[in-house]
Structures are given as structure tokens and as C-alpha cells.
């Protein structure tokens, strides 16, 4: 069975969805949740399912102290589910093509440093996009530039607000993120 470590920085709805999805699957199980935010709601969500949490600082991440903590859980995959910091090269090197992220836009549009959450949705609305969507991709040394694994589009109307766009994106994330992860676990990509 594949062991999954999730990194999240905020509310943790995607992390919880992944934990629940794999709770009764033979393909994988979530063995830990890592967060850089001691006040993140993802901590409570993980505890609800008895998933251990590791809270760390940005300095600990940059200094390389987190890699050993990750290795203690012996993960096969690392999933970034709303994690806002850039992973250091040491973690990327330790888990080549085994770290994936979800981005709330159709990359390469609206990617890069600072493009997360409502920042993305505001930009999409301001640019009067006719569609947006989600991108699930491998993580490399650059924000949102890893090879794309999966994209799903959703139509937008001229009356959509950034909040409406966020709701549409959240629905796509909840539906597709766990399924795509499972496909990766079972295909040994």
C-alpha cells in the first residue's frame, strides 16, 4: 500500500477529502499531514481521522530539517493540497516524480509565485476569462512549472465573482484530486 504525506497550509478541505477517500482503499493511505501554520484548520481535520500532524516553521523547511521528519513516515508520495511555501530542492531530489500539487487554474495561466487561492480567482475574473479550472502537476524547483498530470475546465459567465469562481474550483478539486492521486498510485508513473 502506498503511503501518502500531505502538505497543507490552510483550511484543509482538500486534505480531508483525500484522507477520507483513501480511508477504505487498498491503493494508499495518508500517514501524516505536515503544515507550516500552527493555526491551520487542517490540523483539526487530520486529528479527526487520527492522522499524525507535523507543524514546522518556514526556517525549519529552508534549513532542511523537515526532510528527515518526512522520511520517518516512509512515504511513497507527497501531496501538496493548499501548501503555500516552496519545497526546498533537497525534498524534491529525495522524491523525484513523487510530489504532486493542485493549482486552482489552467496552467500555465495564472501560475507562479503569489498565484494561489483568491489571488488566482480575482485575476481570472479581472481578465474576463471564459473558462478556468484545475491543474494537477508534478512539483519541480519552480512554482507551478512541473509536468502536468491532469487538467479539468469549468465554464465561467460574465457575472461570476471571484467567490463564484472559487466555489466552482473547489467542486472540481473535491471531485478529481483524490481520483487522480489514486490513478497515479496504481499506475506507478
Amino acid at each position: 500500500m502506498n503511503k501518502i504525506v500531505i502538505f497543507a497550509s490552510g483550511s484543509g478541505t482538500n486534505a480531508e477529502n483525500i484522507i477520507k477517500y483513501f480511508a477504505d482503499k487498498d491503493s494508499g493511505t495518508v500517514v501524516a499531514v505536515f503544515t507550516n501554520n500552527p493555526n491551520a484548520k487542517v490540523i483539526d481535520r487530520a486529528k479527526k481521522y487520527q492522522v499524525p500532524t507535523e507543524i514546522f516553521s518556514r526556517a525549519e523547511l529552508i534549513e532542511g530539517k523537515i526532510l528527515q521528519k518526512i522520511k520517518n513516515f516512509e512515504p511513497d508520495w507527497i501531496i501538496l493540497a493548499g501548501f503555500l511555501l516552496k519545497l526546498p530542492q533537497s525534498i524534491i531530489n529525495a522524491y523525484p516524480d513523487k510530489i504532486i500539487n493542485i493549482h486552482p487554474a489552467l496552467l500555465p495561466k495564472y501560475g507562479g509565485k503569489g498565484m494561489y487561492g483568491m489571488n488566482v480567482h480575482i485575476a481570472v475574473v479581472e481578465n474576463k476569462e471564459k473558462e478556468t479550472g484545475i491543474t494537477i502537476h508534478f512539483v519541480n524547483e519552480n512554482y507551478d512549472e512541473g509536468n502536468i498530470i491532469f487538467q479539468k475546465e469549468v465554464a465561467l459567465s460574465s457575472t461570476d465573482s471571484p467567490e463564484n469562481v472559487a466555489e466552482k474550483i473547489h467542486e472540481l478539486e473535491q471531485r478529481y484530486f483524490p481520483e487522480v492521486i489514486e490513478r497515479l498510485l496504481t499506475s506507478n508513473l
Side-chain angles (χ1 to χ4, degrees):
M1 180 178 301
N2 288 278
K3 293 180 183 176
I4 301 167
V5 165
I6 297 175
F7 274 67
S9 296
S11 70
T13 55
N14 279 322
E16 181 176 16
N17 191 37
I18 293 165
I19 292 167
K20 286 186 341 191
Y21 184 89
F22 286 102
D24 61 352
K25 301 276 185 182
D26 293 331
S27 56
T29 186
V30 177
V31 295
V33 170
F34 280 64
T35 184
N36 60 303
N37 180 355
N39 301 312
K41 291 180 185 171
V42 71
I43 297 166
D44 293 329
R45 292 180 193 273
K47 284 181 183 171
K48 186 164 68 172
Y49 298 95
Q50 292 83 47
V51 174
T53 56
E54 292 283 337
I55 302 168
F56 61 90
S57 69
R58 177 187 292 254
E60 288 175 307
L61 183 67
I62 293 168
E63 293 164 6
K65 295 178 180 176
I66 301 308
L67 180 57
Q68 189 52 54
K69 288 186 178 190
I70 295 169
K71 286 183 176 180
N72 290 341
F73 290 98
E74 302 176 340
D76 300 291
W77 292 88
I78 297 173
I79 308 298
L80 307 186
F83 184 66
L84 302 182
L85 300 179
K86 190 172 179 182
L87 287 181
Q89 195 64 46
S90 59
I91 294 174
I92 294 168
N93 290 346
Y95 297 94
D97 296 325
K98 295 294 181 179
I99 305 173
I100 67 169
N101 182 44
I102 190 163
H103 186 75
L106 297 171
L107 292 174
K109 286 185 169 185
Y110 306 106
K113 187 172 175 63
M115 292 306 286
Y116 59 88
M118 287 306 287
N119 296 346
V120 173
H121 308 317
I122 290 167
V124 165
V125 170
E126 286 177 351
N127 287 312
K128 299 177 178 22
E129 294 287 353
K130 302 275 189 258
E131 69 175 11
T132 188
I134 60 170
T135 302
I136 299 169
H137 64 92
F138 288 107
V139 174
N140 67 13
E141 65 278 359
N142 299 313
Y143 280 114
D144 303 323
E145 292 183 14
N147 289 334
I148 293 173
I149 300 163
F150 175 87
Q151 289 187 308
K152 185 66 179 176
E153 306 81 24
V154 64
L156 299 177
S157 75
S158 60
T159 59
D160 277 331
S161 67
E163 291 77 16
N164 298 132
V165 174
E167 289 173 20
K168 290 180 178 186
I169 293 300
H170 186 69
E171 287 176 20
L172 292 178
E173 290 172 340
Q174 294 286 293
R175 177 169 176 199
Y176 292 104
F177 201 15
E179 291 176 9
V180 172
I181 293 167
E182 185 173 36
R183 277 190 258 157
L184 282 170
L185 300 185
T186 57
S187 68
N188 295 322
L189 287 176

